Amino acid sequence: MTDRKPIAAWLTDMDGVLVHEGEPVPGAPEFIGRLRASGVPFLVLTNNSIYTPRDLHARLTRLGFDLPESAIWTSALATAQFLADQRPNGTAYVIGEAGLTTALHAAGYIMTDFEPDYVVLGETRNYSFEAITTAIRLINKGARFICTNPDATGPSNEGALPAAGSVAALITKATGIEPYFVGKPNPMMMRSALNKIGAHSESAAMIGDRMDTDVLCGLEAGLHTILVLTGIATKVDVERYPYRPSRVISSVADLIDEVEPLTPVPADAPETPAA
């Protein structure tokens, strides 16, 4: 294997890496604090499209994290950016919460059930049979089918809940149309995040707790991948997949001392001669 460039940008999943079962992972607030103090570009990623960055910022602040809204990148934001790039100022019929509708409005999209360009499916705690039926009929009439993320289930205190991936499968069964998933493990999520912070894959790292989303997504986007054992995956799980992360560590606390401060270019530094 060739030697990789030093890590100059960091992407990290949120649940299972920074937060676990509603509590901060030990050392995680310090890791984020080190990233902020270093000046190194970074983003916190989540496939959950329910919440806006402001919602997540408030949640993380209560847990002791010093993290600005601008450092949070959700599948809803990635989906909105994707659609704005594909079809600027388009229309969409949306099943989802404020995180998704707010992102689409900000991207210039109009929400409508009259001949929309897209049906966009996201996460919600209250999937409506009526809304799903409308989505099926619109897709049958030609609307393009987009889903924020492929997660089949989500957690709750009472147990697993059906998530966007499960509802997407229902709609696909009824229409014969597969959605385009924007969130992890689609490397689109990684690339959009890297573009947001002006980073390059060859010198960036993705930290996650899942082999099938975080590690796979980072791998396919060309990033250095770091699996932590504070969430879903275990050491045994690593051996079950045909691909491996670059590293397996106990938690993000192990990375605090590896965050190197961003070295500023001196104001009087000579310019590099043009080739």
Side-chain angles (χ1 to χ4, degrees):
M1 294 178 64
T2 57
D3 293 333
R4 292 186 62 94
K5 291 185 177 181
I7 296 173
W10 297 81
L11 304 179
T12 177
D13 188 35
M14 184 173 67
D15 291 314
V17 178
L18 304 179
V19 179
H20 183 63
E21 295 183 349
E23 296 295 331
V25 170
E30 291 78 9
F31 175 67
I32 292 297
R34 182 63 176 266
L35 287 174
R36 292 208 67 188
S38 71
V40 172
F42 75 96
L43 279 180
V44 173
L45 276 61
T46 177
N47 254 7
N48 191 320
S49 65
I50 291 178
Y51 304 107
T52 67
R54 179 175 295 182
D55 297 330
L56 295 173
H57 164 74
R59 172 192 173 193
L60 291 169
T61 298
R62 288 195 301 270
L63 294 177
F65 290 89
D66 180 17
L67 185 72
E69 290 179 40
S70 59
I72 299 172
W73 190 243
T74 70
S75 64
L77 292 173
T79 297
Q81 179 176 296
F82 172 74
L83 293 183
D85 291 341
Q86 290 287 304
R87 190 174 290 264
N89 301 313
T91 58
Y93 178 72
V94 180
I95 299 176
E97 300 284 350
L100 181 56
T101 56
T102 300
L104 287 169
H105 274 302
Y109 259 64
I110 295 172
M111 312 294 124
T112 181
D113 61 358
F114 178 72
E115 299 181 354
D117 298 318
Y118 296 97
V119 165
V120 183
L121 173 66
E123 301 284 9
T124 174
R125 298 300 189 194
N126 299 289
Y127 284 110
S128 157
F129 182 79
E130 181 180 356
I132 293 171
T133 300
T134 299
I136 289 169
R137 291 171 179 171
L138 291 172
I139 291 169
N140 282 335
K141 291 179 180 178
R144 301 154 188 85
F145 187 16
I146 299 288
C147 187
T148 57
N149 60 290
D151 301 63
T153 61
S156 77
N157 293 333
E158 294 77 29
L161 293 170
S166 294
V167 179
L170 185 159
I171 294 173
T172 293
K173 190 70 173 178
T175 62
I177 303 296
E178 296 277 351
Y180 181 73
F181 293 105
V182 176
K184 298 177 293 182
N186 188 344
M188 171 77 67
M189 181 84 167
M190 296 288 106
R191 295 192 183 108
S192 64
L194 290 173
N195 289 339
K196 178 175 170 59
I197 59 176
H200 300 283
S201 59
E202 60 185 1
S203 59
M206 174 63 198
I207 311 166
D209 72 311
R210 296 184 64 120
M211 288 290 292
D212 57 346
T213 55
D214 304 317
V215 171
L216 178 58
C217 194
L219 178 70
E220 293 187 345
L223 281 71
H224 184 88
T225 53
I226 302 172
L227 181 73
V228 297
L229 303 177
T230 49
I232 298 294
T234 66
K235 286 185 177 180
V236 174
D237 292 330
V238 176
E239 303 302 325
R240 295 175 179 166
Y241 289 84
Y243 51 87
R244 296 179 62 84
S246 307
R247 296 170 60 189
V248 180
I249 61 175
S250 296
S251 79
V252 290
D254 298 337
L255 298 172
I256 294 173
D257 292 337
E258 297 184 24
V259 178
E260 297 290 339
L262 185 65
T263 304
V265 178
D268 57 351
E271 294 185 4
T272 303

